[in-house]
Amino acid sequence: MASKFYKTALSNGLTILGEANEANVSAAIGFFVKTGARDETDLESGVSHFLEHMLFKGTPTRSAIDINLELGNLGAQANAFTSEESTVYYSAIIPENFRAMQELLSDMMRPLLDPEEFAMEKKVILEEIALYQDRPHFYLFENAFKDYFGQHPAGNSVLGSHESVSALSRDVMKSYFDRRYSPSNIVLAATGNFSWESFVSDAERLCGGWENFSVLRDTPRYAGKSGKRNILRKNLSQSHAVLITSGACAQDPERYPLSLLANILGDSSGSRLYWALIDKGLADSASVDNDERDGTGCFSTYVSTSPERLDEVLSIARSVLASPLDFSEADLERAKSKIVSRIVLDGELPMGRLMALGMEWSYRRESTPLSVIVERVQNVSRGDIEGALKRFPLNEWSEYRLLPE
Amino acid sequence: MIVTEQLANGLSVIIEEIGHVESAAYDLLIPGGLICDPSDRIGSGLIFAEMIGRGAGSLDSRALSEAFEDSGIRHGEWLGMDRFGFSGSLIASKLPRALELVALMIQEPRLPEEDIPNIQSVLLQDIAALNDNPARRVSIELSKRYYPAPFNRCSLGEAEGIRLTDRACMLNMHREMFGPQRAILSIAGKVDASKVLGELKSIFGGWQGSSIDLPEFATISPHEYTHIEVDSAQMQILMAAPSVKFAESHYYTGKIAVSLLGSSMFGRLFMELREKRGLCYSVYARHGANKSYGTVTAYVGTTPERAQESLDVLLTEFGRLRGSVTQAEVDRAKTNLKAALVMGEESPGSRASSNATDWWLLKRVRSLHEISDAISAVSIADINEFLEQFPFAPCSIVTLGRTPLQVPSDIVRSIK
């Protein structure tokens, strides 16, 4: 049975999207807040992510334990994440508990920010920061993007540092919330087996009273920079490196040809880097990604290998990247097959569709049916990739290496 | 609708039709795996699992890889503890092509000698990278100490075994293990079962070869605490204790008992360690079981100065579970298990894999109804009885980090 797409907005600006399909055995629901690390000042570093945790820590009518137990009672597969640009609260849920889940999630969106819970959760966040300190790949990316973007907010750290989070106060968090969590900066979306009519009327009842105010985000394009930097770390066994250059932003139609090119160059199997590095046993990991951000973008290449081979691996990677058009028509068609298959498979479950729907609206204020996205991928030609390369020539890289101290 | 059949050559086939999806998934399981590697070649199975995708029949390594990709088939060939696995997900119309390619791989793998050094190199890098991944390392270190040989083998293999593996070893493995007799092929998704069955007979009907007997599982005698010194930001703490096996009657009782402690969000460990004390970000307990053994594992990662308190609270919660379970907790755990069951129903990948696992362990496929009834039947009295039989102590504990912890002597018998 085909999905039905719906869209409306409450008078306070909350956008509501739905893609209903009675054939699904489950539903998914989520709030997509267009806020993240890039919207923080230096003194607020880490607050978006900390606030995401605090939404699970109580509201005027529910304690933290109430929320946890209710999620359990509903059999919800609920979670949340924060990125540089978005904070998303979501759940997969069986249809009979959909309305109760909507009620709970909506209540969570107006948190109490209880001072005792704030102090307790700060300890949890500091543990999370310590956890990621032990992951070299994350450590490299955090430092590389920070340096690459320099003063541009796209490089802000999502977790923040031990120092910045330690220094955060409840008042700073409250003022951040009051500045960013306006209904006009939020999308409520649902997919799968649910009723659109009751979804909207419940949203009106539960969220209609949220006060609207204007929320701004500067989205300057970042011109990029080139250079080389080594980051040293004790007790490291493998070396890691990332090359970063300018790429297409989330609103740029050329994100399609660049994504296809990224797949041809660095997909996890069957790509040019795969055959040049992994198949030959030179590296244990190699990937290329067009990282679409709001108003700016970057194109990155990651490798990991043993420290003594890093020079050789990077030199091979750079030579592959230096001839981006060195692919056949069959290579292009193969990359399309891989991407189309992924889009269809990911879009099949309510949760997969929810993420695509909510994120697309957050970034582009549009909703594209899967069939149209598939068509756009299918229509990309070699000429389109050549055109994209004129704007994003992939020749001025910033190189970051994570090496044993 | 689920159709099962054993082909004339012994291959067990399970096909589940799922109406409202566009995709399909397959899982082929063949007895073998890490426990079957020769004891001086531990890791040879991993090399084999890599090699089998590097060309088959008339297709060389690149042509085979491209054949999968041309049809947008996401596939993986993997090595488990006691099996080789071939898994894939795809748009349903590509299923016959996917099955042809899998059949070619298992019957006529090229196993190109010149690729062996490259695969060895990547696998040796994976072993080296283990030092950079403390959470994975602690789990491997615990398995090494907790399970009897050969079930305690490192899932990354051993450097020496990987270096010694040659093509003769690969050919042996293929000859001894890659037969249809004990293999299971499970398919789920937008398929017409009778049509697929016909296709399977023509694609896999001619498959011949021998199968192996898996080694018997010896007894677990958990009783040790081991600390591994590593200069990391967090301390990794992992414990394991025996629990109920998969096919045994108290299986769902065990699963529920452990989820009372270990569920994310509402389990007692999450509540006591993270929510009430802010001791950690990551804490869980899990129940794992198969034909030969069941295990409960519990994990917490925390900074060194809070590690002792974290371990103490964790062990206290395990110790006080019996006799303190409430009906509300049990109901919540049941609701969650059942919701996960229902939600898993719409993913072809998860259906194909859980049907294959059922057949592997039980020689039949359980209906969702049967599983749901088994979950519903669990009572508090059952849980207390289960906890008397499996008190989670003594247990084995491994910590990885800057300094060792104090562990009560009634929990572990000796401290190394």
Side-chain angles (χ1 to χ4, degrees):
Chain A
M1 178 193 262
S3 301
K4 275 191 197 156
F5 178 76
Y6 304 93
K7 176 176 96 64
T8 187
L10 300 186
S11 55
N12 62 5
L14 180 76
T15 299
I16 306 177
L17 304 175
E19 201 175 273
N21 191 337
E22 281 176 21
N24 284 122
V25 298
S26 74
I29 177 169
F31 281 101
F32 295 75
V33 191
K34 191 174 172 179
T35 199
R38 67 175 291 159
D39 304 300
E40 299 167 352
T41 64
D42 287 348
L43 287 175
E44 291 170 336
S45 178
V47 75
S48 308
H49 168 253
F50 191 171
L51 174 60
E52 173 227 298
H53 280 231
M54 287 305 292
L55 262 74
F56 290 83
K57 303 296 287 186
T59 73
T61 56
R62 284 177 169 90
S63 69
I65 286 179
D66 291 340
I67 291 174
N68 286 335
L69 296 185
E70 197 170 334
L71 287 169
N73 292 338
L74 295 173
Q77 292 178 355
N79 212 334
F81 68 82
T82 307
S83 72
E84 290 84 356
E85 321 209 300
S86 302
T87 312
V88 181
Y89 306 85
Y90 61 92
S91 181
I93 191 83
I94 49 174
E96 55 267 38
N97 289 343
F98 179 87
R99 292 185 71 182
M101 189 67 220
Q102 184 183 354
E103 205 272 318
L104 173 60
L105 262 188
S106 302
D107 191 35
M108 286 166 58
M109 295 299 290
R110 302 288 109 176
L112 189 60
L113 307 182
D114 173 74
E116 273 180 35
E117 293 286 5
F118 180 90
M120 188 61 78
E121 198 61 18
K122 187 183 273 190
K123 295 184 193 172
V124 175
I125 305 279
L126 294 176
E127 286 296 337
E128 194 177 353
I129 291 172
L131 180 155
Y132 282 103
Q133 289 298 310
D134 286 337
R135 296 189 182 173
H137 171 273
F138 178 87
Y139 186 80
L140 169 68
F141 272 68
E142 175 100 345
N143 284 285
F145 279 100
K146 192 172 179 178
D147 184 86
Y148 175 77
F149 279 108
Q151 292 304 306
H152 191 284
N156 288 359
S157 162
V158 173
L159 285 174
S161 64
H162 186 94
E163 293 68 33
S164 76
V165 169
S166 298
L168 279 176
S169 69
R170 193 248 177 211
D171 289 345
V172 167
M173 183 179 282
K174 178 73 170 68
S175 78
Y176 173 85
F177 178 85
D178 290 342
R179 194 174 84 231
R180 302 298 307 174
Y181 276 59
S182 168
S184 57
N185 200 40
I186 300 175
V187 178
L188 168 61
T191 52
N193 191 341
F194 72 103
S195 148
W196 170 254
E197 289 71 27
S198 68
F199 178 51
V200 174
S201 64
D202 287 350
E204 179 66 57
R205 177 172 56 84
L206 299 163
C207 315
W210 298 355
E211 189 192 338
N212 186 24
F213 51 89
S214 134
V215 180
L216 299 174
R217 171 187 280 176
D218 281 337
T219 55
R221 193 170 114 66
Y222 179 61
K225 70 168 187 178
S226 59
K228 286 189 181 182
R229 209 185 120 198
N230 290 342
I231 301 162
L232 301 178
R233 202 179 145 94
K234 268 194 262 178
N235 308 317
L236 190 70
S237 298
Q238 285 287 90
S239 287
H240 306 252
V242 61
L243 302 169
I244 312 175
T245 190
S246 192
C249 74
Q251 293 83 9
D252 190 332
E254 289 196 315
R255 66 185 186 278
Y256 285 101
L258 273 193
S259 294
L260 272 161
L261 181 62
N263 189 290
I264 292 169
L265 291 171
D267 192 32
S268 60
S269 73
S271 65
R272 289 181 58 201
L273 285 186
Y274 172 85
W275 293 112
L277 295 174
I278 312 286
D279 181 68
K280 303 263 186 311
L282 295 171
D284 66 342
S285 185
S287 59
V288 176
D289 180 38
N290 182 57
D291 186 355
E292 305 159 9
R293 308 282 184 94
D294 197 4
T296 196
C298 56
F299 198 86
S300 64
T301 301
Y302 164 77
V303 293
S304 73
T305 183
S306 55
E308 62 276 11
R309 274 195 178 142
L310 187 61
D311 281 335
E312 183 191 1
V313 164
L314 276 172
S315 140
I316 293 171
R318 277 181 177 273
S319 75
V320 167
L321 296 166
S323 58
L325 288 167
D326 194 4
F327 61 83
S328 67
E329 204 55 34
D331 293 332
L332 175 60
E333 290 308 311
R334 195 170 303 119
K336 289 181 188 177
S337 290
K338 288 199 263 184
I339 291 176
V340 166
S341 171
R342 192 168 62 220
I343 292 170
V344 172
L345 264 57
D346 289 352
E348 196 162 77
L349 295 178
M351 186 51 77
R353 268 314 278 157
L354 181 83
M355 288 299 155
L357 204 65
M359 293 311 249
E360 193 188 13
W361 191 268
S362 282
Y363 280 104
R364 292 187 284 274
R365 303 269 161 216
E366 60 187 35
S367 306
T368 316
L370 280 185
S371 56
V372 175
I373 297 175
V374 167
E375 202 179 300
R376 285 180 192 163
V377 172
Q378 298 285 21
N379 286 341
V380 172
S381 67
R382 171 179 282 270
D384 296 327
I385 295 176
E386 284 170 358
L389 281 168
K390 287 194 179 113
R391 281 176 61 213
F392 305 102
L394 313 187
N395 54 9
E396 300 265 321
W397 298 93
S398 275
E399 178 182 302
Y400 300 90
R401 298 178 181 210
L402 182 65
L403 304 165
E405 196 171 298
Chain B
M1 188 183 76
I2 299 180
V3 171
T4 59
E5 187 165 321
Q6 190 164 32
L7 305 192
N9 61 2
L11 175 66
S12 299
V13 171
I14 309 154
I15 306 166
E16 178 167 354
E17 295 181 354
I18 304 176
H20 58 274
V21 297
E22 294 300 319
S23 74
Y26 66 83
D27 246 32
L28 171 67
L29 305 180
I30 299 175
L34 204 52
I35 53 173
C36 299
D37 283 354
S39 56
D40 59 346
R41 303 276 196 284
I42 296 173
S44 52
L46 290 165
I47 298 184
F48 189 92
E50 273 292 320
M51 288 282 277
I52 200 154
R54 299 207 175 197
S58 63
L59 304 173
D60 66 14
S61 181
R62 189 150 189 153
L64 179 61
S65 164
E66 291 179 354
F68 274 108
E69 291 169 353
D70 284 338
S71 295
I73 302 161
R74 288 201 264 185
H75 68 109
E77 294 73 45
W78 46 272
L79 182 83
M81 190 53 80
D82 57 4
R83 63 194 86 167
F84 285 97
F86 296 75
S87 307
S89 52
L90 41 123
I91 295 172
S93 60
K94 306 292 184 190
L95 185 65
R97 180 62 174 151
L99 296 175
E100 277 167 21
L101 294 171
V102 171
L104 198 60
M105 276 198 287
I106 56 170
Q107 295 180 85
E108 299 174 50
R110 288 191 171 193
L111 308 173
E113 185 146 30
E114 63 274 20
D115 280 21
I116 294 178
N118 303 346
I119 296 170
Q120 285 167 324
S121 165
V122 171
L123 293 176
L124 292 172
Q125 288 189 51
D126 287 346
I127 291 177
L130 191 59
N131 285 328
D132 299 339
N133 189 341
R136 181 155 191 214
R137 186 169 166 205
V138 76
S139 148
I140 285 173
E141 297 286 356
L142 180 94
S143 295
K144 204 193 284 182
R145 290 162 176 82
Y146 177 78
Y147 291 108
F151 293 81
N152 64 344
R153 289 178 174 178
C154 170
S155 55
L156 300 174
E158 285 178 8
E160 198 47 32
I162 287 171
R163 283 193 200 101
L164 287 174
T165 300
D166 55 12
R167 185 160 188 268
C169 184
M170 305 283 98
L171 292 170
N172 251 343
M173 234 173 226
H174 185 253
R175 193 170 48 242
E176 288 172 6
M177 301 178 189
F178 272 65
Q181 195 58 40
R182 294 179 191 163
I184 297 164
L185 176 58
S186 170
I187 289 161
K190 190 188 184 182
V191 294
D192 174 335
S194 59
K195 185 163 164 262
V196 171
L197 197 55
E199 287 163 354
L200 285 180
K201 284 177 183 165
S202 88
I203 296 171
F204 287 92
W207 180 21
Q208 296 298 332
S210 45
S211 299
I212 56 154
D213 292 322
L214 294 171
E216 286 291 317
F217 187 79
T219 318
I220 294 169
S221 50
H223 58 73
E224 60 173 51
Y225 169 54
T226 309
H227 175 74
I228 298 161
E229 203 169 308
V230 171
D231 185 16
S232 54
Q234 277 197 322
M235 185 90 180
Q236 311 292 320
I237 303 169
L238 191 64
M239 66 156 272
S243 183
V244 61
K245 294 174 196 169
F246 185 79
E248 288 180 338
S249 60
H250 270 329
Y251 174 67
Y252 280 101
T253 311
K255 240 180 135 53
I256 288 176
V258 173
S259 85
L260 297 176
L261 289 165
S263 275
S264 59
M265 310 298 281
F266 59 87
R268 289 188 182 187
L269 297 180
F270 184 87
M271 290 287 201
E272 294 297 325
L273 276 90
R274 180 167 151 168
E275 297 293 88
K276 291 191 189 160
R277 294 179 177 81
L279 288 169
C280 59
Y281 172 74
S282 181
V283 58
Y284 64 76
R286 287 180 189 151
H287 189 267
N290 64 25
K291 245 183 274 192
S292 316
Y293 56 89
T295 309
V296 49
T297 49
Y299 167 86
V300 55
T302 183
T303 41
E305 51 280 9
R306 300 150 108 185
Q308 185 66 53
E309 187 184 354
S310 297
L311 176 64
D312 293 347
V313 177
L314 185 132
L315 292 175
T316 304
E317 289 307 317
F318 268 88
R320 75 176 193 93
L321 186 62
R322 187 157 76 94
S324 70
V325 174
T326 67
Q327 193 58 48
E329 275 180 303
V330 175
D331 291 344
R332 199 173 297 125
K334 287 182 180 177
T335 304
N336 273 269
L337 279 176
K338 287 183 192 173
L341 200 64
V342 170
M343 289 195 257
E345 196 187 341
E346 63 190 335
S347 154
S350 88
R351 289 307 300 156
S353 131
S354 79
N355 289 344
T357 305
D358 268 15
W359 200 272
W360 182 268
L361 295 168
L362 303 169
K363 288 271 177 272
R364 67 186 184 89
V365 175
R366 296 168 302 162
S367 70
L368 294 179
H369 195 67
E370 177 187 345
I371 299 172
S372 184
D373 284 352
I375 294 169
S376 296
V378 174
S379 68
I380 292 181
D382 293 338
I383 293 173
N384 286 329
E385 195 181 307
F386 164 82
L387 290 170
E388 198 162 353
Q389 202 184 339
F390 297 101
F392 304 139
C395 62
S396 280
I397 297 175
V398 175
T399 58
L400 196 136
R402 290 182 199 161
T403 48
L405 303 178
Q406 294 299 317
V407 179
S409 56
D410 56 332
I411 300 286
V412 296
R413 268 182 239 151
S414 61
I415 295 188
K416 286 193 176 175

